[in-house]
Amino acid sequence: KLGIKGYYTDRIGGKDRYEISLNIAYALNEINPVKENYSKWSKGLADATSIAPPSARDGRAILYTNGNDISGIEFYNKDIEKAYIVGKEAAVSSNVENILKSKKLDVKRLGGQNRKDTNAKVISEFYSGKELNNIYVAKDGTGKESDLIDALSVSPLAAKTESPVIIATGNDNIYTLSESQKDFVEKHRPKELTRIGGGYNEGH
């Protein structure tokens, strides 16, 4: 613990990303216990980034999987009633889904043909029918995986403003959406779109 101006910081760690995500879930459940909890299982960074804003908004955990198995399944022994799997079977296998169902969980899979279509599935699940003031648009990491940091960085703001984050292919000048992402934007017609990254944020 490191004391700074009367505050103390704790480190949440683990032997790998899977254990770290589980330990964060434990901490989250302790801070924000809920009767009807649900969590999201994800393998790829892009899929985890897509689910981050609604998870933060609702106070839910995101747990990583290697795609074939689940560590720390004891977390689901109580209070958890629903789980979302983000990604198709090629990313998160049916074995993971079967394990979750064996724990009597209501399991729903949100997966598309690629990361942008999965993103569209996620935002449609959690934001459909809502009036949106804003949609944040960030790079999808196709060219460089580290570009996803922009989408991850804006997730807390997106959660606070109840706005989805769309991940798109592109560069600093042109972002390209999939047809399913375009359909979502057309149906919801947000008051503005805010681009994240490229050294600045631009509403347009």
Side-chain angles (χ1 to χ4, degrees):
K1 290 185 177 182
L2 175 65
I4 301 176
K5 294 183 178 180
Y7 292 93
Y8 289 90
T9 60
D10 286 323
R11 182 184 297 276
I12 299 177
K15 63 184 180 183
D16 52 32
R17 68 185 67 186
Y18 312 113
E19 187 172 282
I20 291 172
S21 70
L22 181 64
N23 288 338
I24 291 173
Y26 279 125
L28 178 64
N29 197 51
E30 180 179 328
I31 295 170
N32 185 28
V34 290
K35 184 176 181 181
E36 296 182 355
N37 201 356
Y38 62 88
S39 293
K40 295 91 172 175
W41 289 86
S42 179
K43 180 184 179 183
L45 179 58
D47 294 343
T49 299
S50 290
I51 201 67
S55 297
R57 180 195 66 187
D58 299 338
R60 314 303 187 183
I62 300 173
L63 299 179
Y64 293 117
T65 172
N66 61 13
N68 296 307
D69 198 6
I70 296 175
S71 300
I73 192 64
E74 69 275 2
F75 181 72
Y76 287 92
N77 286 347
K78 61 180 181 178
D79 296 332
I80 310 300
E81 296 185 1
K82 187 167 187 175
Y84 285 92
I85 296 175
V86 185
K88 298 198 79 172
E89 285 78 2
V92 182
S93 72
S94 57
N95 183 55
V96 172
E97 186 172 353
N98 291 335
I99 292 173
L100 292 171
K101 288 181 176 178
S102 73
K103 297 297 180 178
K104 310 300 181 185
L105 294 179
D106 177 14
V107 181
K108 184 168 186 177
R109 184 182 290 271
L110 303 173
Q113 295 301 317
N114 52 53
R115 61 182 60 191
K116 290 196 292 188
D117 285 337
T118 295
N119 173 254
K121 294 269 189 185
V122 169
I123 61 180
S124 294
E125 174 72 18
F126 294 100
Y127 297 96
S128 282
K130 299 181 182 296
E131 182 178 351
L132 301 177
N133 290 321
N134 201 351
I135 291 179
Y136 297 99
V137 183
K139 293 180 183 178
D140 68 355
T142 300
K144 187 169 61 174
E145 196 79 354
S146 60
D147 283 342
L148 283 164
I149 195 66
D150 292 337
L152 187 61
S153 295
V154 80
S155 292
L157 177 60
K160 184 176 181 179
T161 59
E162 299 190 9
S163 304
V165 174
I166 287 182
I167 55 174
T169 305
N171 52 42
D172 291 343
N173 297 314
I174 300 174
Y175 283 13
T176 304
L177 305 182
S178 69
E179 290 303 316
S180 54
Q181 289 174 320
K182 290 178 184 177
D183 288 343
F184 179 86
V185 174
E186 288 295 327
K187 288 178 182 177
H188 290 80
R189 287 289 179 177
K191 295 179 181 177
E192 62 179 323
L193 296 174
T194 302
R195 187 174 71 181
I196 306 299
Y200 59 94
N201 300 343
E202 178 182 326
H204 56 284

